[in-house]
Every structure is written in C-alpha cells, then in structure tokens.
Amino acid sequence: MPHFIVEYSGNLHERLEFQSLFKELHEYVVSTGEFPLGGVRSRAIRCDDFRVADGREDFAFLNLTLKIGHGRDPDLKKEVAEEVFRILCNWMQPITDESYCQISFEMTELDPVLKFNKNNIHPLFKK
C-alpha cells in the first residue's frame, strides 16, 4: 500500500501523460516516511463509456482513488489527502484551463481483516 487508481473519461486520453503524475505521487507518499516504496503502485483506467453532466462530448472527468492500509494517524491521512489532491489539481491544470473537467479524489482505508496481499518486492527496498 498505497494504491493510486485513476479513472478518466476517454476523451482525455490523448491529453494526459500519467507517468509524470505517478512519479510525483510516489515520491510524495514515500517522503512522508509512512508508506514503503515497495508497496506503492499506480494505474490508470480509461473509461470509454461515460456521461458527464448533460452529455456534452467535450465534458470530461478524472477520479483518483488512493487506497491505504489501516492504522495511520488521522492527521497524517488528512495531510496526505490534501497534498495528493493539490498534486492532482496542479497536474490537471492545463486541462482545466482549456476545457471543462470534473476532478475528484477519495482516500480509502482498507479493513485490516478483509485485506489480503502478497508482495515479494518489499525486500528489494529494505535498508
């Protein structure tokens, strides 16, 4: 953990370059000292079937979800959420300066009893 999941309207596809966003997000969360690099992952999912507002073809959306493991301090979660949204909005500014786009973000904390994972990447980043 954490996992960044972007869902975006297909009409944005040619205008977005996700690797720069993912790099900045990864570097930020790791810099907090609370998220191990070996667990950070990001992905973008293009949505070709969508409708925004009244259905105008040039309206767009982008939603970022950040899933984190259970147990982090509420103040840290608030700080991380605010900074992640700031990073996202700055990255999206060229789009929002030129066109209409709904941007949303949500951080979710996974239930420790219902979350399972296996990750053999962590040892590569242990000091």
Side-chain angles (χ1 to χ4, degrees):
M1 289 284 142
H3 297 198
F4 293 99
I5 305 164
V6 178
E7 296 172 298
Y8 66 98
S9 56
N11 60 352
L12 290 175
H13 186 71
E14 298 299 322
R15 301 171 67 191
L16 300 175
E17 192 284 301
F18 286 104
Q19 291 307 314
S20 63
L21 173 64
F22 294 159
K23 180 179 188 296
E24 189 171 359
L25 291 171
H26 285 220
E27 288 174 353
Y28 168 66
V29 295
V30 171
S31 78
T32 68
E34 296 293 325
F35 302 96
L37 178 59
V40 185
R41 61 196 88 159
S42 296
R43 56 197 171 272
I45 303 165
R46 176 179 171 169
C47 301
D48 288 321
D49 295 317
F50 67 93
R51 181 181 177 94
V52 175
D54 63 2
R56 295 180 204 184
E57 290 185 17
D58 59 335
F59 284 178
F61 78 88
L62 184 139
N63 177 70
L64 173 62
T65 301
L66 169 55
K67 295 182 180 185
I68 64 170
H70 177 74
R72 290 183 176 84
D73 180 75
D75 290 336
L76 172 73
K77 291 187 290 189
K78 182 178 186 304
E79 177 184 316
V80 168
E82 289 172 349
E83 182 62 12
V84 166
F85 191 61
R86 186 197 66 74
I87 290 168
L88 176 64
C89 289
N90 286 346
W91 180 77
M92 285 294 293
Q93 188 169 352
I95 303 294
T96 57
D97 282 352
E98 298 176 2
S99 57
Y100 295 102
C101 184
Q102 299 170 337
I103 302 171
S104 56
F105 166 69
E106 178 184 16
M107 178 189 291
T108 61
E109 185 175 41
L110 300 176
D111 185 312
V113 175
L114 303 176
K115 176 192 161 286
F116 301 87
N117 67 316
K118 180 178 179 179
N119 181 343
N120 66 355
I121 295 175
H122 279 298
L124 296 174
F125 297 98
K126 297 279 185 195
K127 293 182 181 177

